[in-house]
C-alpha cells in the first residue's frame, strides 16, 4: 500500500490493540496503543476527523480510569474541537464530548468549570434528543451531581 494507506492501517491496528487492552483493564497499555494510533493517523489530514475523534475519546476513557484527569481532559478537548468543527455545536457527539469534559472537571474537583460544560451539553441534548433518551438522562444525573457539589439547590 502507499504511505497514506499504510499509516491508516497501522493506526487501525493500534486502535484495536488499545481497545482490547482497555477491555482487559490494562488502561496504561490502552493509552499507549491509542496514543500511538492518534499519532499514526493525525498526519493523514482532516478527512479522517471521525476516527481521530473516536480515538481521542477512547484514550480519554482509559486516562480517566488511571485518574489522569488532566490528560483525559486534553483528549476530550481534542475530540470536542474536531466534532465541533465537523458536526457543529448542535450535534449529539459534540454534546457527548462536552459532557465528558464536564465529568473530567467534576472528578478533578473543578466544579466551577464543570457547571457551564454540563449545562451546555444539556442544552444540546435537550434540542437534539427525545426526552426519554438515555444520554439525556445520564447527563441530567451528572448535572444534578455537579449542582449538589456546587452547593446550588
Amino acid at each position: 500500500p502507499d504511505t497514506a494507506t499504510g499509516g491508516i492501517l497501522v493506526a487501525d491496528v493500534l486502535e484495536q490493540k488499545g481497545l482490547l487492552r482497555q477491555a482487559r483493564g490494562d488502561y496504561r497499555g490502552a493509552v499507549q496503543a491509542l496514543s500511538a494510533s492518534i499519532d499514526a493517523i493525525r498526519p493523514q489530514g482532516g478527512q479522517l476527523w471521525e476516527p481521530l475523534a473516536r480515538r481521542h475519546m477512547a484514550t480519554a476513557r482509559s486516562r480517566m480510569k488511571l485518574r489522569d484527569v488532566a490528560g483525559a481532559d486534553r483528549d476530550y478537548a481534542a475530540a470536542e474541537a474536531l466534532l465541533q468543527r465537523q458536526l457543529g455545536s448542535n450535534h449529539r457527539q459534540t454534546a457527548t464530548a462536552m459532557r465528558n469534559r464536564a465529568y473530567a472537571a467534576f472528578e478533578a474537583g473543578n466544579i466551577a468549570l464543570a457547571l457551564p460544560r454540563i449545562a451546555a451539553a444539556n442544552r444540546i441534548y435537550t434540542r437534539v434528543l427525545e426526552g426519554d433518551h438515555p444520554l439525556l438522562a445520564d447527563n441530567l444525573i451528572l448535572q444534578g451531581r455537579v449542582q449538589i457539589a456546587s452547593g446550588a439547590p
Side-chain angles (χ1 to χ4, degrees):
D2 62 29
T3 306
T5 303
I8 293 169
L9 292 173
V10 167
D12 287 347
V13 169
L14 288 167
E15 179 187 24
Q16 292 307 309
K17 284 182 178 180
L19 294 174
L20 179 60
R21 288 177 177 163
Q22 195 174 58
R24 291 181 175 166
D26 175 13
Y27 301 113
R28 200 166 307 287
V31 167
Q32 290 172 344
L34 290 164
S35 294
S37 175
I38 289 167
D39 292 342
I41 202 170
R42 189 178 289 126
Q44 305 309 318
Q47 74 273 14
L48 299 174
W49 62 270
E50 191 279 331
L52 187 56
R54 184 182 67 236
R55 288 171 171 111
H56 276 294
M57 295 286 272
T59 305
R61 283 191 301 275
S62 285
R63 289 185 191 282
M64 288 297 290
K65 292 289 190 177
L66 294 169
R67 308 296 299 154
D68 176 11
V69 178
D73 186 59
R74 284 190 303 273
D75 277 305
Y76 285 139
E80 181 183 352
L82 285 164
L83 294 167
Q84 183 115 23
R85 188 168 44 253
Q86 296 296 325
L87 302 174
S89 59
N90 282 321
H91 195 278
R92 177 191 56 81
Q93 287 179 272
T94 304
T96 298
M98 289 176 177
R99 180 234 178 264
N100 289 342
R101 291 193 73 203
Y103 179 67
F106 175 70
E107 285 294 307
N110 193 340
I111 305 306
L113 188 56
L115 278 168
R117 287 179 179 174
I118 198 69
N122 194 49
R123 283 191 299 276
I124 296 168
Y125 281 147
T126 301
R127 279 194 300 270
V128 301
L129 299 175
E130 296 290 324
D132 62 349
H133 196 284
L135 283 174
L136 180 56
D138 184 53
N139 197 67
L140 289 171
I141 290 168
L142 179 59
Q143 187 172 27
R145 290 177 62 200
V146 172
Q147 286 177 331
I148 289 168
S150 75

